[in-house]
C-alpha cells in the first residue's frame, strides 16, 4: 500500500507539472498574440502620425504655391496695365503732333 501511495503521488506530481506546462504554453501563446496586436496598433499609429505630418507639409507647400501664383499674376497684371497706359499716352502724344490736312478736297486749280 505504501508503494501504491508513492506511485500515486508521483503520478499526481507529473500531472501537476504537465498541467502547469500546458498553462504556461497557453499563456505564452496569448502573450505573443497580445504583443503582435500591440505592434500592429503601434505601426498604424506611427503611420497615422506620418500621414498627418505629410498632410501638414502638403498644405504648407500648397499655400506657398498659391501665394507665389497670386504675386506672379499681380505682377503680370501690373505690367499689362502699365503697357496699356504707356501705349495710350503714346497715342495721345502722336495725335497731338500729327498735322491734319484742312484743305478739304485735295485738288488745286
Amino acid at each position: 500500500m505504501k508503494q501504491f501511495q508513492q506511485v500515486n503521488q508521483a503520478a499526481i506530481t507529473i500531472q501537476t507539472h504537465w498541467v502547469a506546462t500546458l498553462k504556461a504554453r497557453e499563456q505564452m501563446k496569448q502573450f505573443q498574440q497580445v504583443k503582435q496586436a500591440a505592434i500592429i496598433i503601434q505601426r498604424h499609429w506611427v503611420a497615422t502620425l506620418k500621414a498627418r505630418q505629410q498632410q501638414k507639409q502638403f498644405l504648407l507647400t500648397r499655400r506657398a504655391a498659391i501665394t507665389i501664383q497670386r504675386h506672379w499674376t499681380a505682377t503680370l497684371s501690373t505690367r499689362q496695365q502699365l503697357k496699356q497706359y504707356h501705349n495710350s499716352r503714346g497715342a495721345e502724344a502722336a495725335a497731338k503732333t500729327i498735322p491734319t490736312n484742312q484743305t478739304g478736297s485735295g485738288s488745286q486749280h
Side-chain angles (χ1 to χ4, degrees):
M1 178 99 151
K2 191 170 186 181
Q3 188 180 10
F4 174 76
Q5 287 178 344
Q6 288 176 340
V7 171
N8 192 25
Q9 188 60 39
I12 291 172
T13 302
I14 292 171
Q15 288 175 348
T16 303
H17 284 290
W18 180 246
V19 169
T21 300
L22 292 177
K23 285 183 180 181
R25 286 181 185 173
E26 184 61 31
Q27 286 177 344
M28 182 58 77
K29 182 179 175 183
Q30 288 176 354
F31 170 77
Q32 292 297 333
Q33 289 173 343
V34 170
K35 182 180 173 184
Q36 281 303 111
I39 289 171
I40 289 170
I41 291 169
Q42 289 170 348
R43 285 181 185 160
H44 283 287
W45 180 246
V46 168
T48 299
L49 293 177
K50 285 182 181 180
R52 287 180 185 175
Q53 183 62 33
Q54 288 174 346
Q55 183 182 25
K56 285 180 184 179
Q57 185 61 42
F58 167 77
L59 293 175
L60 181 65
T61 303
R62 181 174 172 230
R63 280 190 292 252
I66 290 170
T67 300
I68 291 169
Q69 289 169 349
R70 283 183 183 157
H71 284 284
W72 181 244
T73 301
T75 299
L76 293 179
S77 177
T78 301
R79 285 182 186 174
Q80 184 179 10
Q81 290 173 0
L82 282 172
K83 185 177 179 182
Q84 289 174 350
Y85 172 76
H86 289 299
N87 286 342
S88 68
R89 294 284 294 180
E92 288 175 12
K96 289 181 182 178
T97 59
I98 298 176
T100 58
N101 187 0
Q102 296 179 358
T103 56
S105 65
S107 62
Q108 294 179 346
H109 285 52

